[in-house]
Amino acid sequence: MSIIVQKFGGTSVASPEKIKAVAEKVAKFASNGNKIVVVVSAMSGETNKLIKLAEKMMRSPEPREMDSIVSTGEQVTSGLTALALINLGIKAKSYAGHQVKILTNKSHTKARIENIDSKLIKKDLNNGYVVVVAGFQGSDIEGNITTLGRGGSDTTAVALAAALKAEECQIYTDVDGIYTTDPRMVPEAKKLDSITFEEMLEMASLGSKVLQTRAVEFAGKYKVKLRVLSSFHTSGEGTIITFEDKKNMEEPIVSGIAFIKDEAELSLLGIPDMPGIAYQILGPVAEANIDVDMIIQNIGTDGLTDFTFTVHQNDMDKTLNILNKKVKQHVKAREINSDNKIAKLSIVGVGMRSNVGVASKMFRTLAEEGINISTISTSEIKISVILEEKSLKKAVTSLHKAFNLADA
Ligand code: ADP
Ligand code: ASP
Ligand code: MG
């Protein structure tokens, strides 16, 4: 009998009726003789509601307490899902993350899973139970409740699948697979039957929130068979994440377009062009635990240069404060600018490795649309640009067309 892990996201468990529908889906799999572990998210919108509630108590809530609060959303849905299964005559038990010993590090609100003690789950599975685990959470070595970052239930599911050596990890969501780009932005986006692990990792980390990046990393590390499919349609194979090397296969140059709207750009103008300057700017930012994404330094003229980097929009004010208080004087910046009305767009594809001219086609397409690019960064299988948020839709749509993704 094979073990299957099935994860249902927020929209899939958004109401009692939807939870009952999830239970029916799970019951069908269980009655086919599979051992099922279900991972559930909080009801759609619930995590945001809980965060807002915490912020009513203090402006920047203590991360430890924040985790106790936001983890409750998933506890509710896990209990409700178990009840819905029991009501269908299926033996089911729900557990919070710490009960099945999902051990994490101590980084509250963005903890990483270090170990899972799967004995309890295995015992229940062997006794014929469907085990329902609350996603998004674990506990540290001292028993403090931790959460895994937004979208973290995906990671709970993949980590459990790895620990249990499951046959497959199925991520049920509100779309029927991975598309060439977010189908909510571009209606012509096409569903992919498969995507390579490398491409999925780039797509996720560059903003396609259909899977949390950590979940893809886990799948890669432990070779978990990972599939994304629809909660609402009964048919369809979804999209499978493959590990094969597609080097010799016929494949498109660009496989997908990812974007992210919640970044902010900060620039220091007229700083001295000398060794150590990047460290003097980014050192204090790193000390404040702020993640920096893209970094660009211009070629200097007359001994002066400009330095630009991006952070998450939520960190913009904090970063600006650090730059003004701790950095500006020190590095003698003429001016510091910030902009949170930007977006990052990336084209991704393993086919780029063996194709020249991808970048020029991208830049030509954007130029023809009159879209200005402020920052560019490239790697072997992706090209990212920063542009104004208001041109994002036009940019994604025109690139989707230029790279023929609708016929992928
Ligand atoms: P869940 O609540 O099930 O975890 P999410 O909202 O986190 O669901 O992720 C699903 C959403 O991801 C889709 O509704 C879609 O808008 C978005 N998305 C972004 N990029 C893609 C993509 N390339 N393919 C499919 N969905 C995508
Ligand atoms: N409920 C959490 C969130 O909204 C985790 C998840 O849904 O995966 O981010
Ligand atoms: Mg999600």
Side-chain angles (χ1 to χ4, degrees):
M1 258 201 290
S2 41
I3 299 177
I4 299 178
V5 177
Q6 302 186 313
K7 179 255 169 178
F8 294 88
T11 42
S12 313
V13 292
S15 65
E17 291 68 37
K18 287 193 171 143
I19 294 175
K20 285 181 186 169
V22 163
E24 273 168 27
K25 209 176 191 72
V26 172
K28 240 184 237 160
F29 273 91
S31 62
N32 286 342
N34 297 298
K35 292 179 177 171
I36 309 286
V37 176
V38 177
V39 174
V40 283
S41 286
M43 287 170 150
S44 157
E46 193 58 30
T47 308
N48 288 343
K49 226 186 274 171
L50 291 166
I51 291 172
K52 288 216 178 80
L53 206 53
E55 286 170 348
K56 287 220 157 74
M57 298 300 129
M58 67 190 286
R59 207 148 57 115
S60 296
E62 283 294 321
R64 182 188 181 279
E65 306 315 318
M66 184 63 114
D67 277 349
S68 307
I69 297 161
V70 293
S71 59
T72 59
E74 271 73 9
Q75 283 197 43
V76 171
T77 41
S78 60
L80 291 174
T81 308
L83 285 181
L85 283 162
I86 294 165
N87 196 44
L88 293 175
I90 304 276
K91 280 167 76 177
K93 270 187 190 177
S94 70
Y95 290 105
H98 66 91
Q99 288 179 291
V100 284
K101 307 228 166 32
I102 297 182
L103 180 73
T104 73
N105 65 11
K106 292 172 184 288
S107 298
H108 284 290
T109 76
K110 48 183 172 198
R112 285 172 171 250
I113 296 176
E114 289 181 340
N115 190 41
I116 296 182
D117 180 0
S118 55
K119 277 198 284 297
L120 185 64
I121 298 180
K122 278 192 179 142
K123 193 171 148 208
D124 282 340
L125 290 174
N126 288 334
N127 287 330
Y129 284 94
V130 168
V131 177
V132 186
V133 180
F136 178 53
Q137 55 187 274
S139 61
D140 69 12
I141 190 111
E142 281 151 18
N144 298 299
I145 292 172
T146 51
T147 62
L148 309 177
R150 299 309 302 265
S153 300
D154 296 334
T155 302
T156 305
V158 180
L160 278 169
L164 294 162
K165 300 195 171 45
E167 171 76 19
E168 188 165 299
C169 180
Q170 302 172 343
I171 306 287
Y172 288 92
T173 183
D174 56 0
V175 280
D176 59 353
I178 310 289
Y179 279 69
T180 47
T181 191
D182 190 340
R184 291 187 204 289
M185 172 74 91
V186 180
E188 300 80 36
K190 196 168 169 232
K191 200 205 92 179
L192 302 165
D193 292 335
S194 69
I195 183 166
T196 68
F197 158 72
E198 255 182 308
E199 287 169 330
M200 192 60 241
L201 194 57
E202 288 286 355
M203 290 281 280
S205 68
L206 294 168
S208 298
K209 70 160 189 165
V210 60
L211 283 176
Q212 199 197 35
T213 310
R214 283 286 295 149
V216 187
E217 281 171 4
F218 247 105
K221 191 164 172 195
Y222 296 100
K223 295 281 176 293
V224 173
K225 195 169 163 199
L226 183 59
R227 190 185 291 278
V228 174
L229 9 74
S230 165
S231 252
F232 307 122
H233 302 136
T234 42
S235 61
E237 298 281 294
T239 303
I240 183 103
I241 322 296
T242 60
F243 294 101
E244 75 219 46
D245 191 355
K246 278 183 148 186
K247 240 189 327 231
N248 300 320
M249 287 164 66
E250 195 60 38
E251 59 184 311
I253 300 166
V254 174
S255 301
I257 305 176
F259 54 84
I260 182 161
K261 287 193 254 186
D262 45 15
E263 286 203 12
E265 191 174 54
L266 296 114
S267 305
L268 294 98
L269 307 182
I271 56 169
D273 188 12
M274 60 182 206
I277 202 81
Y279 175 66
Q280 285 183 49
I281 296 168
L282 297 179
V285 176
E287 266 165 38
N289 227 345
I290 295 170
D291 288 329
V292 171
D293 184 17
M294 285 167 92
I295 302 169
I296 186 157
Q297 183 174 341
N298 288 349
I299 292 176
T301 43
D302 302 329
L304 292 180
T305 189
D306 302 331
F307 190 92
T308 301
F309 62 96
T310 63
V311 296
H312 193 280
Q313 228 168 52
N314 294 348
D315 290 328
M316 188 179 89
D317 290 345
K318 201 168 156 195
T319 312
L320 204 52
N321 204 18
I322 292 169
L323 294 183
N324 279 319
K325 291 217 171 105
K326 295 194 180 161
V327 179
K328 191 174 180 187
Q329 280 289 81
H330 209 50
V331 303
K332 301 186 182 66
R334 188 181 67 237
E335 197 181 320
I336 296 180
N337 292 330
S338 61
D339 185 358
N340 63 6
K341 301 238 167 358
I342 56 150
K344 179 164 98 170
L345 177 158
S346 311
I347 58 172
V348 174
V350 289
M352 275 187 212
R353 279 198 184 115
S354 49
N355 272 278
V356 288
V358 186
S360 69
K361 186 169 181 175
M362 178 182 194
F363 303 148
R364 189 179 65 230
T365 307
L366 294 175
E368 279 166 6
E369 295 292 335
I371 296 166
N372 190 42
I373 302 168
S374 73
T375 307
I376 301 169
S377 117
T378 62
S379 79
E380 237 192 341
I381 68 163
K382 71 120 204 285
I383 304 170
S384 301
V385 294
I386 298 280
L387 31 83
E388 283 182 305
E389 191 179 329
K390 65 175 195 288
S391 348
L392 179 66
K393 191 177 165 80
K394 196 156 117 187
V396 183
T397 309
S398 57
L399 289 168
H400 197 268
K401 199 159 170 218
F403 286 102
N404 299 321
L405 290 180
D407 332 305

